[in-house]
Amino acid sequence: MVTSTDFSGLFNQRFANNFFPIPATSHWNVGVKTPDFQLPNITQGGTVRLSEYREQKPVVLAFTRIFTEKQYCPLCFPHIKELNAQYEAFTERGAEVLLITSTDAKQSEIVVRDLALKMPLLSDPDCSSFRAYAVGQALGAPLPAQFVLDKRGILRYKHLFSFLHPNADLQTLLAALDCL
């Protein structure tokens, strides 16, 4: 029996807006304050404003690539699972991990449930935060990237997508937090 892959929900305005490749070119350098944003927190409800963490705790911004609630990027899915499994290693260091996706709220709710996410999943279907951080895009979705911010909101580490190294290793992210 042949089964087909379900691509419903994939071909939408977000897909069209992110179809043509734009390389990751984030000009945010270590030592600068990064842009603020406010996005819905699908995991815990309400909204998250990045600036609310300033003077409170360090933040790991994990921009991830999820096409739909049924279609995960094969390079990002293991990273999402590992971040979730090791979430306590980040919170034990006093940091918060904000996983940011371009899926809409309905799709993101399914992702939270299916992956039993412990960390906040922020929904950004218009991709404004992805563009503010210039993480790039290709084939219908923004590219993954990770940024570690200290408790003042200053960038201390960044990792941009490449095919050889699509996501930052968790040990590298944890080491960046240990240096704060």
Side-chain angles (χ1 to χ4, degrees):
M1 179 171 126
V2 176
T3 60
S4 64
T5 303
D6 183 355
F7 289 105
S8 64
L10 177 61
F11 301 106
N12 55 26
Q13 190 60 47
R14 175 188 56 110
F15 182 87
N17 291 343
N18 291 285
F19 182 75
F20 293 106
I22 297 174
T25 59
S26 183
H27 61 279
W28 301 107
N29 294 319
V30 170
V32 301
K33 191 175 282 189
T34 59
D36 193 17
F37 58 76
Q38 182 173 327
L39 296 170
N41 182 343
I42 305 304
T43 309
Q44 300 160 343
T47 59
V48 167
R49 184 173 194 96
L50 180 59
S51 59
E52 291 173 355
Y53 290 97
R54 291 190 183 135
E55 304 309 324
Q56 304 296 317
K57 60 175 69 178
V59 175
V60 176
L61 299 177
F63 292 93
T64 194
R65 190 170 162 90
I66 301 173
F67 298 109
T68 75
E69 73 280 9
K70 299 175 184 89
Q71 302 293 323
Y72 294 89
C73 168
L75 301 174
C76 294
F77 184 70
H79 192 253
I80 296 168
K81 297 282 284 180
E82 190 177 14
L83 275 172
N84 195 49
Q86 297 298 318
Y87 179 61
E88 288 78 13
F90 292 92
T91 59
E92 288 168 1
R93 288 167 168 79
E96 182 59 271
V97 177
L98 300 176
L99 186 64
I100 305 165
T101 179
S102 62
T103 53
D104 65 29
K106 182 180 174 187
Q107 292 171 325
S108 297
E109 288 169 3
I110 295 168
V111 168
V112 167
R113 186 176 57 246
D114 285 352
L115 298 182
L117 291 181
K118 299 177 268 185
M119 66 193 134
L121 178 66
L122 309 183
S123 173
D124 184 10
D126 71 0
C127 303
S128 60
S129 66
F130 289 91
R131 286 189 177 81
Y133 281 77
V135 301
Q137 66 183 41
L139 302 174
L143 297 173
Q146 296 80 40
F147 298 82
V148 176
L149 312 178
D150 68 17
K151 70 178 190 174
R152 294 179 299 139
I154 305 297
L155 180 62
R156 297 300 173 193
Y157 172 82
K158 78 175 177 183
H159 176 85
L160 301 176
F161 173 84
S162 75
F163 281 110
L164 296 177
H165 197 191
N167 291 287
D169 300 319
L170 262 58
Q171 295 310 315
T172 301
L173 295 173
L174 291 168
L177 288 171
D178 289 340
C179 292
L180 299 182

